[in-house]
Amino acid sequence: MTNRFERLSALAREFGQEHVFRFWDTLSGTAQEQLLDQVESIDFPLMQRLIRDWVMSEPAEEHFKVIEPVDMIPRGGVPHPEHAQALAAGEAALRDGQVGLFLVAGGQGTRLGFDGPKGAYPIGPLTGKSIFEYHAEKILDVYRRYGKVPPWYIMVSDANAEATQDFFSTRDYFGLGEENVRFLQQRMVPCVDEQGHFILEGPSCLAMNPNGHGGCLPAMVENGILDDARLRGVQWLSFFQVDNWAVRVADPLRWAVVAQC
C-alpha cells in the first residue's frame, strides 16, 4: 500500500489537492484503503479543467441576435402536411426494434421524504404504484402496439444502484423480461469549494456526487450500453428522467422528427 499511497499523494499534490491526505496518519488500514480507492477513481485533469472553467472563472456572457422556436410537427390543431409521414416512420422504427430507452435514475427520494431510489416512490395515490412501475406500463403498451420490447437502459448512481436493482428483481422486472432491462452506473466526482478544493466528508472520505446528466455519455461507453444497443439493432435512444411521470415513452412522432433532423 505504501507505493500506492506515494503515487496517489504525488498525483493529488500535482493538482493542488494534497489536503485530502491530511488525516492519513490517524486512519486505520481499512480507512486508508477506502480513501485511496476514492482518490484513484478521480480524473484529475478533467477536474482541473472543470474547476478552472466553472469555479474559478466568470462565465462568458452569451448574446443572441435572434431567438426563434425550433421546428416541430404539432400533435393537434391544424393538420401538419408531414404529420402522417412522420408518424408512420416513427412507428416503423418501433416495430423494427430500432428504438431503445435511456432513463436517468440516479437520485434518491430524500426531498420527497422517501428512503429509497426516487423511482421507487409510490406516486399513485390510490394504486400505490411507483414511478418505475408507471414507466414500465408505458413500455409494455409499446410492446402491445408494436410487437417489440424496447431495451430499457437505466442509469443509477453509487447511492442507489443496489436498491434499484433489488426493486426491479423483486417485482420480476414488471413483466418486461430481465433481458430487456440493463443497469449502468455513472461516475462519481468530488464536490469542490469556492477555491476549487475537494471537500472532505470525513477524515477518510471525499464528498462525492454523480457527474450529472452529461455523465450518461461516457457511462454508455464504459458500461457496454452502446455495444448492447448495436447488437439489438437499436439506432435511437429515447432519453428521459425518472421523475418525469408524464413523459411519452418511445413517442413514434418524436422519433420521426429526430430522424429527419
Side-chain angles (χ1 to χ4, degrees):
M1 186 169 65
T2 300
N3 291 339
R4 189 182 181 208
F5 166 70
E6 291 176 351
R7 173 173 59 83
L8 292 175
S9 61
L11 180 63
R13 191 180 312 112
E14 177 185 350
F15 289 91
Q17 304 291 350
E18 61 271 18
H19 66 283
V20 301
F21 289 107
R22 67 172 181 243
F23 299 108
W24 180 258
D25 293 333
T26 70
L27 302 177
S28 67
T30 300
Q32 288 178 343
E33 289 284 0
Q34 175 184 326
L35 181 58
L36 290 176
D37 287 344
Q38 275 196 315
V39 173
E40 195 164 38
S41 72
I42 297 170
D43 185 335
F44 278 88
L46 172 63
M47 289 303 302
Q48 183 183 53
R49 177 171 62 81
L50 293 175
I51 291 168
R52 181 194 66 217
D53 293 346
W54 299 102
V55 179
M56 308 306 294
S57 302
E58 289 292 330
E61 292 186 8
E62 293 184 297
H63 299 279
F64 301 92
K65 294 181 179 179
V66 179
I67 299 177
E68 297 178 340
V70 297
D71 292 333
M72 62 173 291
I73 298 177
R75 291 186 167 277
V78 179
H80 191 284
E82 296 180 351
H83 187 283
Q85 181 183 357
L87 182 62
E91 290 184 325
L94 289 167
R95 279 192 295 270
D96 293 342
Q98 296 178 3
V99 179
L101 308 173
F102 192 95
L103 177 66
V104 178
Q108 290 288 88
T110 307
R111 286 176 292 179
L112 296 169
F114 179 68
D115 184 20
K118 190 185 298 182
Y121 181 74
I123 194 173
L126 299 178
T127 64
K129 292 179 181 179
S130 66
I131 300 174
F132 280 138
E133 185 167 0
Y134 278 113
H135 288 322
E137 287 181 346
K138 296 176 186 178
I139 299 170
L140 285 170
D141 184 58
V142 171
Y143 168 60
R144 285 189 290 267
R145 296 173 69 180
Y146 302 109
K148 291 287 180 70
V149 178
W152 194 9
Y153 303 109
I154 302 174
M155 189 168 74
V156 295
S157 66
D158 282 357
N160 71 358
E162 184 176 354
T164 300
Q165 292 179 63
D166 287 346
F167 187 81
F168 272 76
S169 178
T170 57
R171 288 155 180 81
D172 196 27
Y173 299 87
F174 302 104
L176 294 169
E178 183 178 357
E179 70 279 6
N180 293 315
V181 181
R182 283 200 55 179
F183 300 94
L184 63 151
Q185 278 187 245
Q186 64 187 124
R187 295 182 190 175
M188 303 290 284
V189 294
C191 302
V192 300
D193 62 21
E194 293 181 351
Q195 287 72 47
H197 297 140
F198 296 166
I199 298 173
L200 285 169
E201 187 175 290
S204 65
C205 182
L206 290 166
M208 305 282 281
N209 265 322
N211 63 351
H213 288 181
C216 71
L217 300 176
M220 288 181 195
V221 177
E222 294 163 358
N223 291 271
I225 296 304
L226 295 183
D227 291 336
D228 182 83
R230 290 191 187 100
L231 287 173
R232 295 172 185 260
V234 170
Q235 297 187 27
W236 317 101
L237 286 175
S238 174
F239 178 99
F240 60 107
Q241 301 178 48
V242 69
D243 45 10
N244 185 0
W245 175 86
V247 67
R248 291 177 179 269
V249 172
D251 179 3
L253 186 59
R254 176 184 178 191
W255 288 111
V257 175
V258 169
Q260 290 175 350
C261 292

